[in-house]
Amino acid sequence: MTDNSADAEASWQHLKPDSVHALQTLLMTIESDAPPGDLFETYVWSKSVLAKAMRARLEMHLPPECPTFWELRDRVAEAIMRKFGQSIPLKYLKVPYKSSVHIALFAILLEKIGEPVESAMLRVVTEDSVHTERRMRELRELGFDITPIEMRGIDFYKLGSLNINETLIPAIVKNNIRKDKGISAETRRDLESKLSSGN
């Protein structure tokens, strides 16, 4: 067992009794016809406890490493260098987005490649819908074949293939350039013109 999965299991074992207690407390609060303020407060607290526990349990299930994620990022890096390695400074040719959350979200999609995965499952990793949508958008910015889908009012994401959309490569470099506040507007325009011309 890797350190990460061992940590996740330890967290799960620690949080599991708290989850049971949170559910029992919520159920008792509902059954007691408590005032709305008490009910909502108990709901918010129990939801937070359960979110942490479910994240630990999911992390136990995820593979300790995801080599496919790094292989795709390497292909993005190769495409960037092939297109702009001779015309754009190296510091702007880096591939962003490699946090543990990015990897975990990709690993979940990879396990179900070709099938829609409900956003609620992905939110277990981030414990937050906004963060989930942002991280998924960032993976799509890398050219990963991830598609948002809505079915019957429920949001899903699907990893369609292990192909990279290389038409998004210039946008990656442009974002890197725009994050550099230390260059002049003229230099920025010159660099961005090279992205447009492809040379």
Side-chain angles (χ1 to χ4, degrees):
M1 182 179 293
T2 65
D3 290 343
N4 287 343
S5 58
D7 289 345
E9 182 171 7
S11 294
W12 167 246
Q13 294 301 332
H14 174 72
L15 292 167
K16 185 160 60 170
D18 294 340
S19 298
V20 173
H21 175 64
L23 286 169
Q24 290 172 339
T25 303
L26 179 60
L27 180 59
M28 286 190 305
T29 305
I30 293 172
E31 291 178 336
S32 70
D33 289 326
D38 292 348
L39 176 59
F40 297 150
E41 183 178 332
T42 303
Y43 167 72
V44 171
W45 165 74
S46 62
K47 183 179 178 183
S48 175
V49 172
L50 288 169
K52 290 180 173 61
M54 292 304 105
R55 178 176 181 177
R57 185 62 186 86
L58 179 60
E59 288 177 344
M60 285 174 56
H61 169 73
L62 293 176
E65 298 178 0
C66 188
T68 304
F69 175 83
W70 298 105
E71 289 168 9
L72 293 189
R73 286 186 88 259
D74 286 346
R75 283 164 54 190
V76 173
E78 290 166 3
I80 289 175
M81 290 302 298
R82 185 172 64 252
K83 291 177 179 292
F84 303 113
Q86 301 300 314
S87 58
I88 303 292
L90 189 61
K91 66 179 180 177
Y92 301 122
L93 304 183
K94 297 176 181 178
V95 182
Y97 312 138
K98 56 180 180 179
S99 73
S100 60
V101 174
H102 289 109
I103 298 169
L105 291 172
F106 177 81
I108 294 171
L109 293 178
L110 179 63
E111 187 176 51
K112 300 286 187 180
I113 188 168
E115 301 176 19
V117 176
E118 193 170 340
S119 294
M121 171 67 75
L122 298 169
R123 285 197 292 271
V124 172
V125 173
T126 63
E127 301 177 28
D128 182 281
S129 60
V130 174
H131 287 167
T132 300
E133 292 170 6
R134 187 173 298 150
R135 299 293 88 81
M136 296 302 293
R137 185 170 61 248
E138 289 167 351
L139 290 175
R140 294 172 64 207
E141 286 175 10
L142 293 181
F144 288 17
D145 184 15
I146 296 172
T147 305
I149 303 169
E150 183 179 332
M151 297 188 293
R152 302 180 301 278
I154 301 173
D155 293 327
F156 296 80
Y157 286 94
K158 182 178 75 172
L159 177 64
S161 70
L162 298 181
N163 297 327
I164 293 293
N165 181 359
E166 293 195 9
T167 64
L168 299 179
I169 295 300
I172 296 173
V173 181
K174 180 179 284 188
N175 286 339
N176 290 339
I177 293 170
R178 290 183 174 177
K179 289 175 183 176
D180 186 355
K181 304 303 182 184
I183 60 174
S184 66
E186 182 180 358
T187 300
R188 182 175 290 106
R189 285 194 299 270
D190 180 58
L191 290 171
E192 291 182 357
S193 70
K194 292 179 179 178
L195 293 177
S196 301
S197 64
N199 53 49

